[in-house]
Amino acid sequence: MTGYWASVVVEDWRYRMLPPAKFEEKPALGARVGIPMNAEARRIALAWDPAKDEAAGEQCKGYGAPNIMRIPGRIHIAWQDDRALKLETDAGTQTRLFEFGAPQNQGGDWQGVSEASWESAGGGRGGPILSGSLKVVTSKLKPGYLQRNGIPYSANATLTEYYDRVDEPGGVSYLVVSTTVEDPVYLTEPYLTSVHFKKQADASGWNPAPCSAR
């Protein structure tokens, strides 16, 4: 999974590609938010003001681990050492650390604490491993947004991700990231999404950019 990958936006185009629009209690016909918010989450989203986030120096509230993989851009994955994978994003210049074994990170920031493990499929009774996923469970997050329009997640949120590499004929490779966010404070049920990335030959197109509240 190491190397450079670029977003392929084949799902939720409206919410990922367009500038963030304020949440509406009664959205226009055909518009869907798709997030199982409770009443308190809706109240906070309706009051969202990007200028206040900017004034507080919190432009990165929409770039935390529960949403960063959905922001279009490029990611770079590399081994930091023999027990941790480092994932960097050019969107918001964020860095995530996926730690195998007991995490050393203390959390409390936008990317929290991420504990990683390999989950394999096939290979019953000592046979060869046929496929597998990188599982990442992230907690101890600084509160932020599930979308860059003020829909909140709390410090009690837990993010579970599965990273799967898919190799197709012709040498094209994709990374599929399946995500579940659980938050007893703001969500009425788990929030499920998935995103896709295409493998890049090198760092061409890598364009680090700061967080934006708008």
Side-chain angles (χ1 to χ4, degrees):
M1 295 183 183
T2 57
Y4 289 88
W5 303 81
S7 296
V8 179
V9 184
V10 295
E11 61 282 285
D12 298 334
W13 193 95
R14 173 176 181 257
Y15 296 107
R16 297 176 61 191
M17 295 299 295
L18 299 180
K22 190 168 183 177
F23 169 72
E24 299 177 359
E25 187 68 66
K26 295 182 179 180
L29 182 66
R32 291 186 58 201
V33 174
I35 299 178
M37 299 181 285
N38 61 21
E40 179 62 10
R42 289 194 296 272
R43 184 191 68 79
I44 292 172
L46 286 168
W48 174 66
D49 183 348
K52 290 184 178 180
D53 288 341
E54 292 169 343
E58 295 197 325
Q59 297 93 324
C60 290
K61 291 187 78 170
Y63 293 76
N67 189 54
I68 186 62
M69 303 301 288
R70 292 172 55 78
I71 299 177
R74 284 172 165 78
I75 61 173
H76 178 224
I77 301 175
W79 286 99
Q80 173 167 283
D81 51 41
D82 61 0
R83 62 174 305 277
L85 274 171
K86 181 170 65 174
L87 186 153
E88 300 171 286
T89 72
D90 63 355
T93 60
Q94 299 296 302
T95 299
R96 304 183 64 190
L97 199 62
F98 300 160
E99 300 183 79
F100 295 84
Q104 303 300 306
N105 185 14
Q106 299 302 307
D109 57 13
W110 301 122
Q111 306 309 324
V113 176
S114 295
E115 187 169 356
S117 61
W118 298 107
E119 291 202 349
S120 59
R125 296 184 178 274
I129 295 174
L130 301 180
S131 63
S133 303
L134 172 65
K135 179 181 180 181
V136 180
V137 179
T138 301
S139 58
K140 299 182 180 179
L141 290 156
K142 183 177 180 178
Y145 298 148
L146 291 172
Q147 287 182 355
R148 291 194 306 126
N149 61 352
I151 298 175
Y153 64 81
S154 75
N156 293 325
T158 300
L159 167 69
T160 302
E161 300 166 287
Y162 289 90
Y163 290 73
D164 292 283
R165 175 172 172 154
V166 179
D167 297 316
E168 295 193 345
V172 178
S173 297
Y174 293 94
L175 189 64
V176 181
V177 185
S178 304
T179 298
T180 301
V181 179
E182 298 174 277
D183 187 351
V185 178
Y186 294 129
L187 298 181
T188 58
E189 59 185 76
Y191 171 46
L192 282 62
T193 59
S194 65
V195 293
H196 300 72
F197 296 85
K198 185 178 180 180
K199 186 70 183 289
Q200 306 293 287
D202 51 36
S204 299
W206 181 256
N207 184 31
C211 299
S212 174
R214 301 175 187 268

